Amino acid sequence: MPPPAPPRRAVRRAPPAATPAAADDPARTPLTREAWTEAATEVLVDRGIDHVRVDVLSQQLGVTRGSFYWHFRDREELLRSVLHAWRERATEQLTLRLERAHSDPREQLRDVISLPFRGRAAARAARIELAIRAWARRDAMARQAVDEADAARIGYIAQVFSSLGYPIGEARSRAFLLYAYVVGESLMATQGPAAQRESRSRFVEQLMNTPLAG
């Protein structure tokens, strides 16, 4: 009878490698690229572009720098992501919602005029807009993003005026004036009490719907 075989040793398998974000805290949901972009946007708004740095964001989010490099090559790619997210949310998605809300161009025009008065969402959008425009004064990449966003928004409003029957040249001029009003009203939200702001809004709507004399 052959001797009994020696007992087999259990093979210990190495645990699966954790992602950089999960390595910081096993219970933490790994950060996404969008989470980093949103955090960078908040720092931009609260502290300015000079504080949008990997070390600042890592400390704020409670993760290591390695988590950042899991999603981005460098800081510039993060900044591009901030600008892209802003344009998508504040221009492309907004324009699409305005187009889908009403088929009547007069109603679309009224919606555009009402944008600065839409509560917390409008206030937050204005804060982001102001921060990005401040950044654009000193950075060519941000300046290009702002110029493209302005052109796209004015183009949409010009289409609304064209739908109301205005010639293309006048439609563009009216669009520029209305857009300048909307931006100004958004960035000067504390200028005058609510009654004055509502009065300005009604006046602008009347003005924009009035054909030029002779």
Side-chain angles (χ1 to χ4, degrees):
M1 182 174 181
R8 294 183 179 181
R9 291 183 178 180
V11 178
R12 304 181 68 179
R13 297 182 179 180
T19 62
D24 298 319
D25 181 357
R28 180 190 296 275
T29 301
L31 291 176
T32 63
R33 180 183 177 94
E34 290 73 23
W36 280 98
T37 300
E38 184 66 21
T41 301
E42 292 301 321
V43 171
L44 172 67
V45 170
D46 294 336
R47 304 173 65 183
I49 188 61
D50 291 337
H51 289 88
V52 183
R53 304 193 308 268
V54 179
D55 57 335
V56 172
L57 294 171
S58 299
Q59 183 177 12
Q60 178 171 306
L61 293 169
V63 296
T64 64
R65 292 166 61 95
S67 175
F68 170 84
Y69 291 106
W70 185 260
H71 298 291
F72 300 94
R73 291 189 302 273
D74 50 29
R75 178 176 181 262
E76 182 175 350
E77 185 178 356
L78 171 65
L79 297 182
R80 290 185 183 278
S81 180
V82 169
L83 292 171
H84 175 78
W86 167 68
R87 173 165 181 168
E88 183 177 18
R89 179 172 56 246
T91 301
E92 296 171 3
Q93 293 180 5
L94 176 59
T95 299
L96 190 59
R97 288 200 302 271
L98 292 172
E99 289 176 333
R100 289 178 174 177
H102 302 285
S103 58
D104 183 351
R106 291 190 184 278
E107 292 296 330
Q108 292 184 32
L109 196 63
R110 186 172 290 113
D111 279 350
V112 171
I113 295 172
S114 73
L115 288 175
F117 307 100
R118 298 191 176 184
R120 293 183 179 179
R124 184 175 185 276
R127 292 178 66 229
I128 296 173
E129 186 99 3
L130 185 61
I132 288 180
R133 288 184 181 276
W135 172 18
R137 288 199 298 268
R138 49 185 290 199
D139 181 86
M141 180 175 66
R143 177 74 262 168
Q144 180 179 355
V146 169
D147 288 345
E148 290 174 353
D150 287 342
R153 296 168 181 178
I154 293 171
Y156 163 69
I157 301 173
Q159 289 179 2
V160 174
F161 279 116
S162 292
S163 299
L164 290 171
Y166 292 102
I168 186 61
E170 184 176 344
R172 288 173 178 169
S173 295
R174 285 176 178 266
F176 183 88
L177 290 174
L178 178 55
Y179 180 64
Y181 160 76
V182 170
V183 172
E185 195 74 74
S186 298
L187 301 184
M188 295 187 292
T190 59
Q191 184 59 42
Q196 288 185 7
R197 299 186 72 197
E198 292 173 4
S199 177
R200 290 197 298 266
S201 175
R202 290 193 299 270
F203 175 77
V204 168
E205 182 179 352
Q206 181 181 4
L207 188 66
M208 290 294 104
N209 280 297
T210 302
L212 294 176

